[in-house]
Amino acid sequence: MTAKRQLKELIKKEILIRVRDKQTILLLFLMPIILIFFMTLALKGVYIDKISERQIRVVIENPSRLPKANLLEEKISSHKLIARVHQPPGADAEQIFEQTGAQVLVMIPPGFDAGDMPVELYFDPVLDTGYKVAIRSLITGLTVEVVMGIDNLDSVVANLIVEKSRPNRDIPSPLQQTVPAYAIFAMFFIAIPMSIGFIKEKNDGTLQRLFTYPVNANLVALGKITPYYMINLVQFFLMLLIGVFMAPSMVGLSFQLGQHPWHLFPVTLVVAAATTGYGVLVASLARTPEQSSTMAATGAILMGVLGGIMVPHFVMPAVMKKLAMVSPMYWAHQAYLDVFLRNAAFEQILPKLIVLTGFAVVCFYLAGRRVRWI
Amino acid sequence: MKALSVSSVTFRYEDSPRLALDQFSLTIAEGRMHALLGPNGAGKSTLMRIITGIQRGYSGSVLVFGHKMPDRSALLSLGYAPQAISLYPTLTARENLRFFGAMANLSDEELAHRSKEVLDRTGLNDRADEPVSQYSGGMQRRLNLAVAILHEPKMLLLDEPTVGVDPQSRNHIYETLLSLHASGMTILLSSHIMEEAQRLCSNVTLMDEGKVIFDGQMSEIDNLERFFLEKTGRGLRDG
């Protein structure tokens, strides 16, 4: 009963101190929110091409207005991958690209219906070769449909070519990347207030005073660790709420939680143990508040850079992808992507949680060997 | 009964070439107010830390009311006000008292009662709900003392209790100590202020460089400063 009450007061004291520390609240909660918004917007363009279907901006000239030409114009305009852009009056081909942002000009000449003249394609000079090939292929298919009198070429060739790509498991949507990434990043920053608080108590004598009472050192340690663990949990779930309810309307992108969102609970419990372990380790190693903040921040930034937080894992070269595995943030982020993106069964997430638990155990063990209470 | 018995304690800090305490011995009878005087660096704070069990790794023995330290069961017979203001600055006085009271295993009822008493005694009741960071130095020292006496210890250890304190707060602290002593509490007070020791204490131990220079009644020495200078070649205020 005594120990329970002492633990409750130790936790309450730590929480009161943290909650009244405005700088810490800003660091732990505002920083990740800002990062989520800005990095989602910054990375939007990277993801759009890879995971969603960007429409091709097309200008169509059809001076003859003959039936086949009109049919081709209609097919192109109504295709789901085409966004038709209207031609400014009097503009030549170069001016069209500058003024409209169009990527291709399709000219259906008067001789098209008679079969005398081919359809002409004018591409924006800066367009990638691969993109040009894709657009040419699309327009060619639609032209063949008109010339051959076929309603839908895809249904004709359906038995000749079949796409067997596996579902996307590697490329998260922008919010699937940034919400867990910057939540994890902020959770690791718990090391700063944790270690500075510990050092301040050592330096100003409150920790020494505490040991003049009949209170167990392990209880004091638990009373210090538990509040930060709880703060980590709150951090993650707050970022998740922002990702689900606020960010989509502000950045114009959706956030998918995956088919087994309840897996977030065990993942977050383990990730919070890893981040708290890191905080305890920094607290045991640092001797001054300046050392604390430098060690904690530098470590978190390095882990973030390596681990696919700042630079998404899927854009890294192969060597960096392997190197990422030394970062606990990599394992944490991948565990969250298992939930959000891959709809993974718990057995598939478990190995990552084991790695993170191992990291936490090592941190706590090293801290226990190094810590000096007085 | 002896409240405190320190026998031949020797201690050296890690990586320090000199002894912080050198065969130091001290006995304090129950109910006494005893001064521990010495210049800065004499070993007064080190001795306090050893008595309270904070500092380990010494040779010799320390008995507090018959219990060999460190002994967790004896800890609550001691109240300790360190030289540093060892309080949580962003917590209020009341919150600090609640916290340390819980560490001393006081029940909620006892805590409420004792908190009011010590706040009254130290003149801090009106500002008990303000954060300690907003207190003056004198008020912080009074609260430091309040925390030490909250659990009604049998012996109070005060390490330089009035350093950096304004005269009003200093007098308040003196009155509190005299009142506690009158109620039977044993007090060990370390200081380098002679006038403070002479005003409050009947017994004195002079120490320098970890050793006892003199141990006896205050009345045996006419002039403490001169006595110390004759014995050590240094002034009490030197450090």
Side-chain angles (χ1 to χ4, degrees):
Chain A
M1 192 59 196
T2 302
K4 200 169 156 187
R5 182 158 175 260
Q6 285 180 332
L7 181 60
K8 183 183 148 203
E9 289 298 327
L10 283 161
I11 292 170
K12 186 177 165 190
K13 176 261 297 177
E14 206 69 36
I15 289 177
L16 276 176
I17 291 171
R18 281 304 132 231
V19 161
R20 291 174 188 176
D21 181 357
K22 291 183 179 53
Q23 285 180 333
T24 297
I25 299 297
L26 284 175
L27 176 72
L28 297 180
F29 292 96
L30 194 59
M31 176 190 70
I33 294 172
I34 292 172
L35 285 171
I36 285 169
F37 280 113
F38 282 106
M39 293 308 291
T40 302
L41 291 171
L43 291 171
K44 208 169 161 179
V46 172
Y47 289 89
I48 290 286
D49 283 344
K50 289 192 181 292
I51 62 164
S52 61
E53 296 166 331
R54 192 210 288 259
Q55 289 191 312
I56 304 160
R57 294 171 63 81
V58 175
V59 170
I60 306 172
E61 281 186 8
N62 177 16
S64 73
R65 313 301 312 169
L66 291 171
K68 281 188 180 175
N70 286 344
L71 179 59
L72 180 58
E73 181 183 351
E74 168 61 27
K75 275 182 177 286
I76 294 171
S77 298
S78 61
H79 196 281
K80 65 175 180 176
L81 290 179
I82 303 282
R84 186 171 181 179
V85 177
H86 290 285
Q87 183 177 355
D92 64 24
E94 283 190 21
Q95 287 169 330
I96 283 170
F97 296 127
E98 277 172 20
Q99 290 175 21
T100 65
Q103 291 157 301
V104 61
L105 163 64
V106 178
M107 162 67 87
I108 309 171
F112 174 71
D113 271 53
D116 294 337
M117 297 289 285
V119 173
E120 294 170 359
L121 298 180
Y122 298 86
F123 290 105
D124 182 351
V126 304
L127 212 55
D128 289 345
T129 304
Y131 222 55
K132 284 185 196 171
V133 168
I135 295 171
R136 178 198 285 271
S137 174
L138 174 65
I139 303 295
T140 301
L142 294 174
T143 306
V144 165
E145 284 178 5
V146 169
V147 168
M148 305 292 287
I150 302 168
D151 256 345
N152 187 334
L153 188 61
D154 286 341
S155 59
V156 171
V157 302
N159 294 332
L160 298 177
I161 300 175
V162 172
E163 183 175 348
K164 291 285 195 181
S165 306
R166 62 181 176 82
N168 170 35
R169 290 186 197 287
D170 297 315
I171 302 175
S173 68
L175 283 171
Q176 284 176 332
Q177 164 70 21
T178 58
V179 168
Y182 292 105
I184 292 164
F185 189 63
M187 286 161 80
F188 271 89
F189 267 78
I190 204 81
I192 294 179
M194 204 174 185
S195 51
I196 289 177
F198 178 69
I199 288 166
K200 271 190 186 168
E201 284 197 38
K202 273 176 70 171
N203 290 348
D204 68 17
T206 40
L207 204 56
Q208 291 180 24
R209 184 171 218 163
L210 197 49
F211 286 115
T212 65
Y213 293 88
V215 61
N216 188 282
N218 290 333
L219 207 68
V220 173
L222 196 57
K224 285 210 147 297
I225 291 167
T226 306
Y228 294 100
Y229 185 79
M230 288 161 58
I231 289 172
N232 270 166
L233 297 179
V234 170
Q235 274 180 297
F236 180 78
F237 286 109
L238 184 64
M239 295 311 124
L240 186 68
L241 287 174
I242 286 171
V244 170
F245 294 112
M246 282 179 64
S249 57
M250 295 182 80
V251 300
L253 297 164
S254 60
F255 179 42
Q256 301 80 27
L257 278 174
Q259 291 170 11
H260 313 294
W262 50 88
H263 288 161
L264 288 175
F265 289 100
V267 170
T268 305
L269 289 175
V270 171
V271 170
T275 58
T276 313
Y278 175 68
V280 167
L281 183 60
V282 172
S284 70
L285 294 175
R287 294 283 170 256
T288 64
E290 293 76 22
Q291 278 185 5
S292 287
S293 38
T294 304
M295 265 191 223
T298 306
I301 289 168
L302 284 174
M303 286 191 279
V305 166
L306 277 175
I309 301 296
M310 276 82 162
V311 176
H313 189 255
F314 70 85
V315 304
M316 290 180 177
V319 166
M320 288 298 299
K321 281 184 179 177
K322 286 260 171 355
L323 206 55
M325 294 186 191
V326 306
S327 167
M329 287 198 194
Y330 163 81
W331 297 98
H333 194 240
Q334 291 300 313
Y336 281 119
L337 290 184
D338 277 350
V339 179
F340 295 141
L341 176 66
R342 301 176 192 123
N343 300 315
F346 186 72
E347 300 76 53
Q348 292 167 297
I349 307 174
L350 191 57
K352 298 175 182 78
L353 301 189
I354 291 172
V355 171
L356 287 168
T357 303
F359 173 79
V361 166
V362 167
C363 285
F364 281 116
Y365 173 74
L366 290 174
R369 296 290 300 262
R370 287 288 311 235
V371 74
R372 294 170 70 171
W373 288 104
I374 309 292
Chain B
M1 184 187 192
K2 289 179 196 164
L4 177 68
S5 178
V6 176
S7 302
S8 303
V9 165
T10 300
F11 175 74
R12 187 201 305 269
Y13 284 103
E14 208 176 295
D15 300 330
S16 172
R18 66 178 189 89
L19 291 171
L21 291 171
D22 187 358
Q23 293 287 310
F24 191 96
S25 294
L26 170 67
T27 301
I28 300 176
E30 202 170 345
R32 287 267 163 83
M33 180 125 68
H34 196 110
L36 185 65
L37 284 177
N40 292 330
K44 304 187 295 295
S45 296
T46 304
L47 178 65
M48 294 268 182
R49 287 152 54 95
I50 285 174
I51 293 169
T52 53
I54 298 169
Q55 192 70 64
R56 312 274 176 102
Y58 57 90
S59 64
S61 74
V62 175
L63 292 169
V64 171
F65 295 103
H67 294 268
K68 190 169 192 298
M69 297 302 279
D71 180 344
R72 283 184 72 190
S73 62
L75 285 176
L76 288 180
S77 59
L78 291 174
Y80 175 50
Q83 186 173 359
I85 304 291
S86 303
L87 301 165
Y88 296 101
T90 53
L91 301 189
T92 64
R94 216 181 293 281
E95 285 166 344
N96 269 279
L97 287 170
R98 184 184 170 86
F99 173 74
F100 285 108
M103 295 305 112
N105 300 330
L106 296 180
S107 67
D108 286 341
E109 207 180 303
E110 280 172 316
L111 195 50
H113 172 68
R114 285 294 300 156
S115 293
K116 186 176 184 316
E117 252 189 49
V118 301
L119 287 169
D120 279 340
R121 198 161 214 168
T122 51
L124 293 172
N125 224 334
D126 287 345
R127 297 188 61 181
D129 296 310
E130 292 176 28
V132 172
S133 56
Q134 292 179 9
Y135 282 10
S136 67
M139 290 169 68
Q140 289 183 6
R141 286 254 169 235
R142 283 189 265 155
L143 183 60
N144 212 28
L145 174 61
V147 167
I149 60 174
L150 182 67
H151 58 282
E152 294 181 289
K154 288 159 72 176
M155 179 166 176
L156 190 58
L157 301 173
L158 304 168
D159 193 353
E160 310 260 8
T162 63
V163 71
V165 160
D166 58 275
Q168 185 188 2
S169 288
R170 184 175 299 140
N171 282 328
H172 204 124
I173 290 172
Y174 291 164
E175 281 164 22
T176 306
L177 294 179
L178 287 167
S179 159
L180 288 168
H181 181 235
S183 65
M185 192 178 282
T186 308
I187 299 176
L188 175 60
L189 164 84
S190 87
S191 181
H192 64 273
I193 305 172
M194 293 165 297
E195 296 78 15
E196 179 171 279
Q198 283 172 317
R199 178 174 168 176
L200 297 174
C201 303
S202 55
N203 292 70
V204 62
T205 299
L206 296 178
M207 65 183 295
D208 190 30
E209 295 183 345
K211 294 191 181 79
V212 174
I213 307 299
F214 171 82
D215 183 25
Q217 307 255 355
M218 194 68 77
S219 56
E220 292 176 50
I221 305 175
D222 284 332
N223 187 314
L224 274 169
E225 180 74 52
R226 193 171 62 226
F227 182 84
F228 192 85
L229 190 63
E230 282 168 8
K231 290 283 184 183
T232 65
R234 300 198 295 145
L236 260 175
R237 299 181 212 273
D238 295 342

